[in-house]
Amino acid sequence: MSQFKLIEGIGHNFKAHRDLSVKFGDLTKITGDNEEGKSSVLEIPTWTLYGTDTFGGKMDPTPTNYKYDHVMAETLLEVDGKLLKFGRGIEKGKATYYINDVPSKASDFEEIVKSLIDKDLFLGLFNPLYFFSLHWEKQRELMLRYSTPPTQKEVFAEMSRASPDQKLKDIKLNPQAEKLDELVKKHTLPQLEEIHKKNKNDKDTAHKKAQGRTETLEEQFRQLPEVPEDIEAIKAEDAELVKQVRDIHAKIELADEPKRKQAVLEGTLENVRQQIAAAKTRYMKVHGEEIAEECSTCKRPFDEAAKQAAEASKEERKKPLRDEHDKLVARRKELEAELAAVELVDVSELWEQMRALEHRRDATAETIGWYNRRQSLQADLEKAQADEAATLASRNESIFILDAIKAYEAKAAELQAAKVQELFQTLTIRLFKEQKNGDIKPDFVIDRDGKTPTQFSLSESIRAGLEVRDVISEQSGWIAPCFIDNKESVTRYKAPRGQLITCQVIEGQPLNIESEELSHENHQ
């Protein structure tokens, strides 16, 4: 345990005190009438160290009823056997600081004070009513600051306890504790809570979409026509029909060959006939030419030899034209003979057979098409159902983990509250509260016999404050001075750990300070 003692407090022009020196003992009694400055004595240590009153509030220590040159408060402390003297003053409107009578910077002063003891802890130990002046969150933080929370292993075990007398080694983790025990190897509980809150919300939305997808596919599947169970027989029949259609189509193709040949011959024959007509025209043109009687230039009549030569030339030009015509006529006769030899085949019956087969095949193909559609839709439906199930499983897993975390927090809160509660004798402490949705939220309520601190009388507040500060002293490992103001209001109380300073109003009496068993004498 660390020990913090007040050895001496000195005030110069400190409120009502022009010059005051107080030596504190293990028990220091301050008495006097109202307005005699009893409470100001208690403010010398707090203003020296922190510049505040005993409740941590700002305060102005300058006198209001007499003139002064400067203000000074000094406090001699003993911390774990080491003497330290601190001073704080106001000179010409400026703050001054001293450490062991040596002027110091504000930052150095505050750093050393802070290193000795936390401000809230000191004020909570020094003033029993300080704790009740704090916001509940600060009260809770100060109460738990030095309290060791239960370990995860403890909480998991207590979550799984089957009976109060069950031995720890016999406890088998329940599913929630077992799951969390596995997950906390990778993530902290707050991280798990964030992960699975997000996953639950995401999967809520995804599951609704997946349900809609599944319902749509189920409705589409119901609307499809039924197909025969022996689909393989239908497929075999369809394949045979396709083969028969192809065979007939091949026969029709063969049967169409003479027709195609006829068409080609007729086309060729027509072309040859046109060539014959053209050749005849060319021949007749030469054949109809007249032999001139005279020269077209000199107009001299041709003699018989010239006329014969002209006739011979004409005959010479007619001969190739006649040969060409004769050849074309011969080709025409060949084509006419070939065309006359073509025999056409009637394929109307084959077409009838093929159409009948195709009609039957339409039915089998339609059945197979519906079967394939059902198979495809069935696969889509099974995938949608699997996706929906996986989404739901992930969502339910997150809900399970979140519920497990709630159960963990509830049990941890219960264990921690019980651990803290064991330190109190007359007060009941509530550290957590359960929300309507089951969430465990931090809380802090002090109760005695159904009354909260706001309902306490002054004496009840003092006794409750002393109990709280002794618990904080025990938890923090600090023994520090404590004062009881308005002692006349409380006739019975448990003496606090550490130095005790009492202030009591005695009508008509001037300020009087008595110390017993002075601490500094024990170190001389």
Side-chain angles (χ1 to χ4, degrees), residues 60 128 162 169 203 205 249 284 366 375 395 451 457 461:
D60 182 3
K169 65 182 180 63
K203 293 301 185 289
T205 303
H249 190 269
M284 293 306 296
E366 183 179 30
Q375 290 296 103
R395 172 183 175 274
K451 295 166 67 175
S457 65
S461 294

Side-chain angles (χ1 to χ4, degrees), residues 4-6 24 30 39-47 49-50 52-55 75 77 117-131 465-466 469 472-473 479-485 496-497 499-501:
F4 188 111
K5 287 186 176 182
L6 291 176
F24 296 97
I30 303 174
S39 297
S40 300
V41 176
L42 304 173
E43 291 171 338
I44 289 175
T46 60
W47 192 78
L49 296 175
Y50 305 109
T52 69
D53 60 20
T54 56
F55 285 91
T75 302
L77 310 173
I117 188 171
D118 177 76
K119 175 183 174 182
D120 285 325
L121 175 60
F122 174 76
L123 294 176
L125 296 175
F126 188 53
N127 178 5
L129 300 183
Y130 173 75
F131 185 84
L466 288 172
R469 63 88 58 194
I472 294 174
S473 174
I479 297 175
C482 174
F483 73 80
I484 298 176
D485 203 359
R497 305 171 68 186
Q499 290 174 287
L500 175 61
I501 305 167

Side-chain angles (χ1 to χ4, degrees), residues 193-447:
E193 188 172 19
E194 287 301 313
I195 290 170
H196 290 283
K197 275 184 178 179
K198 183 179 186 305
N199 187 64
K200 175 189 173 299
N201 292 336
D202 291 346
K203 293 301 185 289
D204 279 341
T205 303
H207 184 245
K208 289 178 182 177
K209 290 182 179 179
Q211 280 182 316
R213 169 71 173 160
T214 301
E215 291 170 0
T216 299
L217 291 172
E218 286 174 342
E219 180 60 27
Q220 291 176 355
F221 191 79
R222 283 193 295 268
Q223 292 176 357
L224 291 178
E226 296 292 335
V227 296
E229 292 184 5
D230 191 5
I231 190 65
E232 293 304 319
I234 300 294
K235 288 181 178 180
E237 180 184 356
D238 183 76
E240 179 60 27
L241 288 171
V242 170
K243 180 179 179 300
Q244 291 178 18
V245 168
R246 285 176 179 170
D247 290 345
I248 292 176
H249 190 269
K251 290 179 181 180
I252 291 174
E253 286 286 318
L254 290 173
D256 279 349
E257 183 61 30
K259 190 174 182 180
R260 287 194 296 272
K261 183 176 180 181
Q262 181 187 50
V264 171
L265 288 172
E266 287 176 345
T268 305
L269 181 60
E270 177 62 26
N271 182 261
V272 169
R273 285 172 177 163
Q274 290 175 1
Q275 291 180 41
I276 289 172
K280 182 179 180 181
T281 299
R282 289 192 295 275
Y283 175 81
M284 293 306 296
K285 182 179 179 182
V286 175
H287 177 73
E289 287 180 359
E290 294 182 1
I291 302 300
E293 295 290 332
E294 59 182 14
C295 177
S296 60
T297 303
C298 65
K299 303 299 183 180
R300 286 178 64 187
F302 289 132
D303 57 18
E304 191 62 29
K307 289 180 180 179
Q308 289 179 357
E311 279 292 341
S313 174
K314 179 179 177 180
E315 287 300 323
E316 187 68 25
R317 286 188 290 119
K318 284 169 61 179
K319 185 179 183 302
L321 293 175
R322 185 170 49 251
D323 291 344
E324 178 188 11
H325 180 268
D326 292 344
K327 287 180 181 178
L328 289 171
V329 169
R331 175 62 178 155
R332 181 196 68 195
K333 290 178 180 180
E334 290 175 3
L335 290 171
E336 287 174 341
E338 193 175 348
L339 183 60
V342 173
E343 294 182 5
L344 297 179
V345 179
D346 184 5
V347 294
S348 58
E349 186 176 344
L350 290 174
W351 277 107
E352 289 280 339
Q353 292 175 7
M354 190 169 72
R355 279 193 286 269
L357 291 171
E358 287 177 337
H359 182 69
R360 287 173 57 191
R361 202 260 164 171
D362 286 343
T364 57
E366 183 179 30
T367 300
I368 293 170
W370 285 122
Y371 171 79
N372 290 336
R373 174 62 178 151
R374 287 179 70 89
Q375 290 296 103
S376 176
L377 199 58
Q378 179 71 35
D380 290 344
L381 178 57
E382 289 175 357
K383 182 179 184 304
Q385 289 171 335
D387 289 344
E388 180 185 347
T391 302
L392 182 61
S394 178
R395 172 183 175 274
N396 290 343
E397 173 82 352
S398 287
I399 290 174
F400 176 79
I401 292 170
L402 290 171
D403 287 343
I405 292 172
K406 284 184 180 180
Y408 177 95
E409 290 175 342
K411 181 56 68 175
E414 177 186 327
L415 294 175
Q416 190 167 17
K419 188 175 182 180
V420 174
Q421 184 61 57
E422 288 177 355
L423 302 172
F424 289 89
Q425 296 179 347
T426 67
L427 298 176
T428 300
I429 306 296
R430 188 179 79 195
L431 297 174
F432 302 89
K433 64 180 176 182
E434 185 175 350
Q435 305 288 87
K436 291 182 180 180
N437 63 358
D439 287 347
I440 301 299
K441 295 295 183 183
D443 193 21
F444 190 78
V445 176
I446 290 180
D447 178 278

Side-chain angles (χ1 to χ4, degrees), residues 60 62 68-71 89-97:
D60 182 3
T62 57
Y68 64 96
D69 51 358
H70 68 278
V71 175
I90 301 175
E91 297 181 18
K92 298 180 180 180
K94 293 184 179 181
T96 57
Y97 304 90

Side-chain angles (χ1 to χ4, degrees), residues 10-23:
I10 299 171
H12 176 68
N13 296 328
F14 188 86
K15 287 194 169 183
H17 304 293
R18 288 184 179 274
D19 285 292
L20 176 69
S21 176
V22 180
K23 295 192 181 294

